[in-house]
Amino acid sequence: MKIKRHGAVIGLIAAGALALTACGSDSNTPQSGGSSGAPAATGTAQVECGGKKSLVSEGSSAQKGAMELFIQQYGQKCSGQQLAYTPSGSGNGVKQFNGGIADIGGSDSALKDGAETDAAKTRCQGNPAWNLPLVFGPVAVSYKLDGATSVTLTPEVLAKIFSGAVKTWDDAAITAANGGKALPAKPIVVIYRGDESGTTDNFQQYLGAAAPSAWTKGAGKKFAGGVGQGAQGSPGVAEAIGAADGTIGYVEWSFAQDKKLNMAKIDSGAGAVELTAQSAAAAIKEAKVKGEGNNLVLDLKALYASKAAGAYPLVLATYEIVCSKGYDADTAKAVKAFLTVAATDAQSGLADAGYVPLPQEFQNKLLTAIKAIA
């Protein structure tokens, strides 16, 4: 079955409505990431189904394909239980959760201390919200450049491209990154997310960590490079990259796969690394938890700045934002059931959909947090 990622809303999927068979995107989808040396989570878990029949979730478009798998497995595991997911972007996910519209918010960035965490605490009846990193997805640096079959870029060159300092494909810095081979003499057209996006936030965090002297624009959900053309959502970015020669942009691996976009190799100092499930999983082990208790906020700086051979460091984590306490009993029960299924049974299909299955250590921490939701 081919996963479709371009609808505005993933509908209410009832139990048994869809049979989960071979979930893939394109014929060249990656093999399981479990062989990378970072063990992937496996197995099933005991799930206490019931509670609210129709959960509502909204947010990150980066996790849309993963949510499709989670919803399918949830419907099969818990008969009659449903969840509707709207992939409207991380900014909207936070707003809809904090506004009490969404039971679960999806965001590629954890809640920011201050206004966002304060609003979440109010929404959760005076209790803190937790950020649970449920989906790991590589971000592809995709491009369309007629006459070039392979492109390697360093973090410094990427920072200069996305800040406008490098303007043409035959720039000396790009030539050097490609072993002295000059690319076509064409203008570079940067494509970025025009809406508020956790993918943008993570991409800019990556540039700041991996190339601090070349990227001085900071991070945040709004693109700060000051160059290029904005596109709406991940589907819009993928479409724009594929539509014109000379383009380059950042987009989740699953969308790059769907559109069969070219993907640049990244050389962080130990040689060019192609984006694969194995190279992304090799980088994830560098991620550390900096949040307290069951608020599993990650410190991605070590991951993004990694120069480890064979590791593709441009990987984002998508958080499910939930109330630690403050749901009514029926909602809490259903939220816990959905998240448990997503963290266990549903992980097996993620690699074929352009994501990296949870490392075992993250699965264990997630299940502890999920059980603690009250």
Side-chain angles (χ1 to χ4, degrees):
M1 181 178 71
K2 181 172 180 175
I3 297 295
K4 301 294 184 182
R5 298 183 178 86
H6 305 299
V9 179
I10 303 171
L12 296 174
I13 301 178
L18 293 174
L20 184 61
T21 55
C23 296
S25 54
D26 297 315
S27 60
N28 62 343
T29 48
Q31 300 301 311
S32 172
S35 62
S36 65
T42 57
T44 61
Q46 293 297 318
V47 180
E48 186 177 349
C49 298
K52 187 177 180 179
K53 293 293 185 181
S54 299
L55 290 173
V56 176
S57 183
E58 184 166 348
S60 166
S61 61
Q63 69 170 7
K64 180 175 180 290
M67 288 296 287
E68 290 176 345
L69 294 177
F70 298 164
I71 290 168
Q72 289 170 350
Q73 286 283 21
Y74 179 51
Q76 291 178 36
K77 193 83 171 182
C78 295
S79 179
Q81 300 296 113
Q82 305 170 338
L83 182 141
Y85 186 69
T86 304
S88 59
S90 296
N92 283 329
V94 171
K95 291 175 184 176
Q96 294 296 77
F97 174 78
N98 283 349
I101 305 300
D103 301 307
I104 302 171
S107 177
D108 304 334
S109 301
L111 291 171
K112 298 291 189 296
D113 289 336
E116 287 187 351
T117 54
D118 289 347
K121 188 173 183 179
T122 299
R123 182 258 192 272
C124 296
Q125 310 300 318
N127 302 290
W130 288 341
N131 299 271
L132 306 182
L134 191 62
V135 179
F136 286 93
V139 177
V141 177
S142 294
Y143 66 93
K144 183 175 182 181
L145 184 61
D146 294 343
T149 57
S150 178
V151 172
T152 297
L153 299 170
T154 65
E156 290 76 15
V157 170
L158 278 171
K160 291 177 180 179
I161 288 173
F162 282 90
S163 62
V166 168
K167 302 178 184 298
T168 62
W169 285 102
D170 63 341
D171 187 281
I174 297 179
T175 301
N178 287 271
K181 181 181 177 180
L183 300 180
K186 298 177 180 179
I188 295 174
V189 180
V190 169
I191 305 296
Y192 62 87
R193 282 284 293 269
D195 53 326
E196 287 194 3
S197 164
T199 307
T200 296
D201 190 15
N202 279 267
F203 182 65
Q204 294 183 136
Q205 287 185 50
Y206 162 73
L207 294 177
S213 62
W215 183 261
T216 59
K217 303 285 188 175
K221 292 185 175 71
K222 292 184 178 180
F223 180 66
V227 64
Q229 303 171 8
Q232 188 72 18
S234 298
V237 171
E239 291 278 357
I241 293 170
D245 188 29
T247 53
I248 187 171
Y250 54 93
V251 68
E252 295 81 6
W253 190 24
S254 54
F255 290 92
Q257 287 177 312
D258 274 352
K259 291 298 179 182
K260 296 181 171 59
L261 299 176
N262 295 317
M263 291 174 264
K265 299 174 184 177
I266 295 180
D267 186 347
S268 300
V273 179
E274 181 181 359
L275 171 51
T276 66
Q278 288 74 28
S279 64
I284 289 174
K285 64 182 180 180
E286 302 292 337
K288 308 297 181 185
V289 175
K290 66 178 182 180
E292 296 182 357
N294 289 320
N295 185 29
L296 304 180
V297 179
L298 300 176
D299 181 357
L300 297 175
K301 288 184 178 179
L303 186 160
Y304 289 151
S306 172
K307 300 182 184 298
Y312 183 89
L314 186 44
V315 178
L316 64 78
T318 296
Y319 297 93
E320 308 312 316
I321 301 170
V322 299
C323 290
S324 58
K325 296 180 181 179
Y327 292 122
D328 61 77
D330 282 347
T331 300
K333 187 172 186 178
V335 166
K336 293 171 72 171
F338 173 78
L339 293 176
T340 300
V341 171
T344 55
D345 298 63
Q347 290 292 308
S348 62
L350 284 179
D352 287 336
Y355 302 91
V356 181
L358 288 170
Q360 189 67 52
E361 64 180 66
F362 279 102
Q363 185 194 55
N364 295 340
K365 291 176 181 178
L366 279 168
L367 291 175
T368 297
I370 292 166
K371 289 178 183 177
I373 295 172

